[in-house]
Amino acid sequence: MKKLSNGRLSVEADSFTDHFHSSISFDSRMYKEDITGSIAHARMLGRQGIIPLKDSIVIISALEEILKDIESGKITFDEKAEDIHMNVETILTERIGDIGKKLHTGRSRNDQVALDIRMYLKNQVTDIRELIYKLLETLNNIAKEHMETIMPGFTHLQNAQPVTFAHHVLSYFEMFSRDSDRLADCYKRINVMPFGSGALAATTYNLDREAVCNELGFDSITRNSMDGVSDRDFVCEVLFCLSLLMMHLSRFCEELVLWSSQQFKFIEISDAYATGSSIMPQKKNPDMAELIRGKTGRVYGELIALLTTLKGLPLAYNKDMQEDKEGVFDAVDTVKMCLPVFTNMIATMTINKEDMLASARLGFMNATDGADWLVKHGVPFRDAHSIMGEIVMYCIEKGKTLEELSLDEYKSFSPVFGESIYDDIDLKSCVNRRTVKGGPSKEYIDRVIAENDELLKGERFL
Ligand code: ARG
């Protein structure tokens, strides 16, 4: 059969060329969006009297049948028909003959593909935000159990100041909630309907774009037909949002990898999320965490690939733009696999409180609190900092911790020292006296957890 779009061409492409430029192997996943868009278009054409109303009814019911048949696996797509748009139209015409040929009145594949990808991404962004929601819930629940679990906070991966596991985990609550917000914001720009832009210069038919917009559940319509068919900035935005999300996941994964090592032993990953070694019988490897960390690279790659594809493209549609889909599909699939694996992995891991505490006792993490004690007793901070520095050096020499020094030893560095220094350098009190908003104290974290519970009940993450 001669292709629907080939009136102008005298020679058919050979099968290898067809294979090269065909996109049906990947854009078939937008079949539902494509058919839903076509149904709205056909209904509008009929209502506007652009095609006879009775024809539009025939087209709509045939499209509904095609949708059902695709879903029940009765239809196999044809590479020769290039993409999902041409495949659906070809099947339609095969089924209802000349009436089917009227569907493409007043539209182009260029506005069709722009519509389909927007519809597809709206659903995907919603799904991903739901997965983030589950992760946020899990993080908040973990925090509830660990408001008093002392662990070292690090800078430069060196013990820095004591925090709690709740505080650490809730820092990720903040990051992932911003990831969700970013996707929600990007959703607003996806939610604009390009249909009616035609190939690039709209159309002379009296299209009712608002009616199509309402039927398809978009917020508004694009204001310039050339922009409508030729920009994919919203795809880049999705890829950027997903890249940041993966970056956050990969940082947490890196921590899980470190923490599950023999050197840290802060956590034990459930056997369900670990693997053995083919040669070393004793091994339990955090493969899932590593894989999520690794998959971050491909999501970044998709972002850079699309930015590069779009760079320098003249207006309006160019076939280069067909390259937008595989990348964003892959990024979406990757994120949708990583999020639930990650959420379940952290929900089922064991937290070794004793090992965390033991590690927090190393590295003089309460030295700042010693300096703060001196400041409270009239010593300027810079002097206090240097006195505590000397004390730490002394401790290293003697193989002692700050808690183990006698008051006489303290006094040999500054006569100001008194008994209450021991209260202030106690790790628990180091954490819980940091009651400032944003800090790790139990008092404050308690409030944050309650606020998070409220947030999770509200509109923000839905
Ligand atoms: N398969 C194409 C894409 O994904 C659809 C638009 C094709 N338009 C064209 N004029 N060749 O971008």
Side-chain angles (χ1 to χ4, degrees):
M1 192 192 62
K2 194 166 168 73
K3 287 185 212 169
L4 292 180
S5 58
N6 274 5
R8 160 78 175 75
L9 309 178
S10 52
V11 179
E12 293 271 315
D14 62 43
S15 62
F16 190 71
T17 312
D18 268 337
H19 176 68
F20 172 67
H21 84 136
S22 164
S23 55
I24 188 63
S25 64
F26 51 87
D27 66 18
S28 58
R29 72 158 80 187
M30 302 193 305
Y31 70 87
K32 198 169 188 172
E33 289 79 3
D34 196 71
I35 293 177
T36 311
S38 288
I39 289 175
H41 180 66
R43 201 185 319 280
M44 181 274 293
L45 291 179
R47 278 213 202 108
Q48 293 294 99
I50 298 169
I51 64 171
L53 196 59
K54 60 175 189 348
D55 288 353
S56 78
I57 294 167
V58 173
I59 293 174
I60 290 168
S61 66
L63 285 170
E64 284 165 351
E65 284 302 310
I66 295 173
L67 181 58
K68 269 196 226 137
D69 290 348
I70 294 174
E71 274 171 350
S72 62
K74 279 194 201 137
I75 288 177
T76 35
F77 294 120
D78 180 6
E79 193 170 75
K80 271 193 161 333
E82 216 179 307
D83 53 25
I84 185 62
H85 328 294
M86 295 309 275
N87 266 276
V88 170
E89 209 187 316
T90 306
I91 298 163
L92 179 74
T93 316
E94 275 165 12
R95 291 190 178 186
I96 60 171
D98 283 352
I99 296 177
K101 296 183 190 163
K102 298 186 181 178
L103 173 63
H104 211 56
T105 312
R107 76 173 187 184
S108 156
R109 273 188 298 160
N110 297 353
D111 57 356
Q112 217 179 329
V113 73
L115 174 75
D116 292 1
I117 188 81
R118 283 175 187 266
M119 286 172 72
Y120 174 80
L121 287 179
K122 277 172 64 176
N123 289 330
Q124 298 307 318
V125 165
T126 305
D127 288 356
I128 291 171
R129 291 189 67 229
E130 270 165 30
L131 295 172
I132 297 177
Y133 182 92
K134 291 199 188 111
L135 171 57
L136 292 173
E137 245 178 0
T138 302
L139 291 169
N140 209 39
N141 289 338
I142 294 175
K144 285 175 194 166
E145 305 293 312
H146 293 285
M147 289 193 284
E148 290 176 273
T149 305
I150 306 278
M151 70 176 282
F154 302 93
T155 62
H156 312 272
L157 205 53
Q158 306 289 320
N159 278 18
Q161 287 175 337
V163 292
T164 62
F165 190 57
H167 193 54
H168 194 108
V169 160
L170 288 178
S171 72
Y172 282 103
F173 185 99
E174 300 299 316
M175 299 177 225
F176 291 119
S177 59
R178 285 195 297 276
D179 289 328
S180 175
D181 290 348
R182 242 186 303 272
L183 283 166
D185 197 63
C186 154
Y187 185 95
K188 291 186 214 155
R189 284 175 291 282
I190 305 172
N191 200 10
V192 184
M193 203 220 40
F195 220 25
S197 299
L200 79 161
T203 168
T204 53
Y205 296 100
N206 176 30
L207 302 184
D208 183 354
R209 296 187 66 204
E210 267 81 15
V212 178
C213 173
N214 289 338
E215 176 164 343
L216 297 178
F218 279 90
D219 235 18
S220 60
I221 59 176
T222 51
R223 298 179 61 235
N224 181 297
S225 61
M226 295 178 78
D227 171 54
V229 290
S230 72
D231 207 353
R232 296 290 183 268
D233 53 358
F234 60 95
V235 185
C236 296
E237 269 194 69
V238 170
L239 287 169
F240 175 69
C241 294
L242 298 186
S243 293
L244 278 191
L245 171 61
M246 288 302 294
M247 181 270 284
H248 290 144
L249 282 176
S250 81
R251 292 184 76 172
F252 207 153
C253 282
E254 165 63 12
E255 294 186 325
L256 298 183
V257 171
L258 274 177
W259 293 347
S260 58
S261 69
Q262 291 306 309
Q263 287 68 25
F264 275 83
K265 283 206 225 129
F266 286 7
I267 58 159
E268 182 165 352
I269 289 176
S270 152
D271 287 359
Y273 295 93
T275 55
S277 154
S278 59
I279 171 169
M280 297 167 281
Q282 84 287 6
K283 285 281 259 171
K284 176 172 171 182
N285 295 326
D287 280 33
M288 309 310 146
E290 294 165 60
L291 201 51
I292 295 170
R293 189 179 60 186
K295 284 180 185 290
T296 304
R298 65 197 275 170
V299 177
Y300 288 8
E302 312 297 6
L303 170 64
I304 299 301
L306 184 60
L307 285 171
T308 312
T309 299
L310 295 175
K311 176 189 172 294
L313 280 190
L315 294 183
Y317 178 83
N318 302 271
K319 184 80 169 204
D320 315 46
M321 287 156 65
Q322 179 168 291
E323 289 289 308
D324 62 350
K325 277 173 281 302
E326 280 166 292
V328 78
F329 291 167
D330 181 63
V332 161
D333 292 347
T334 302
V335 165
K336 284 174 95 171
M337 279 198 292
C338 289
L339 275 171
V341 169
F342 181 80
T343 301
N344 294 334
M345 179 167 59
I346 61 169
T348 54
M349 69 188 177
T350 311
I351 313 301
N352 300 328
K353 296 186 189 186
E354 290 310 315
D355 293 278
M356 281 191 179
L357 182 63
S359 170
R361 293 198 189 290
L362 306 172
F364 310 100
M365 291 200 298
N366 42 7
T368 314
D369 299 85
D372 288 341
W373 187 94
L374 286 168
V375 170
K376 264 199 297 192
H377 293 82
V379 180
F381 182 75
R382 271 292 150 234
D383 295 338
H385 182 277
S386 110
I387 292 166
M388 285 309 298
E390 285 168 30
I391 294 176
V392 166
M393 258 179 34
Y394 173 83
C395 283
I396 293 169
E397 241 169 63
K398 300 279 170 196
K400 287 183 172 183
T401 65
L402 289 174
E403 291 89 328
E404 285 162 357
L405 292 188
S406 69
L407 190 54
D408 283 342
E409 284 173 303
Y410 272 111
K411 281 185 185 294
S412 69
F413 290 93
S414 165
V416 182
F417 277 115
E419 195 59 41
S420 64
I421 178 69
Y422 295 106
D423 299 334
D424 281 24
I425 60 169
D426 172 66
L427 289 183
K428 215 173 182 161
S429 108
C430 292
V431 167
N432 286 329
R433 279 182 302 107
R434 292 175 147 73
T435 51
V436 68
K437 284 182 184 159
S441 74
K442 182 171 183 305
E443 179 189 323
Y444 176 72
I445 291 294
D446 223 7
R447 257 190 294 152
V448 172
I449 289 174
E451 267 171 37
N452 288 347
D453 274 333
E454 282 312 301
L455 274 178
L456 289 164
K457 280 187 221 144
E459 303 262 283
R460 175 168 163 196
F461 298 120
L462 294 183

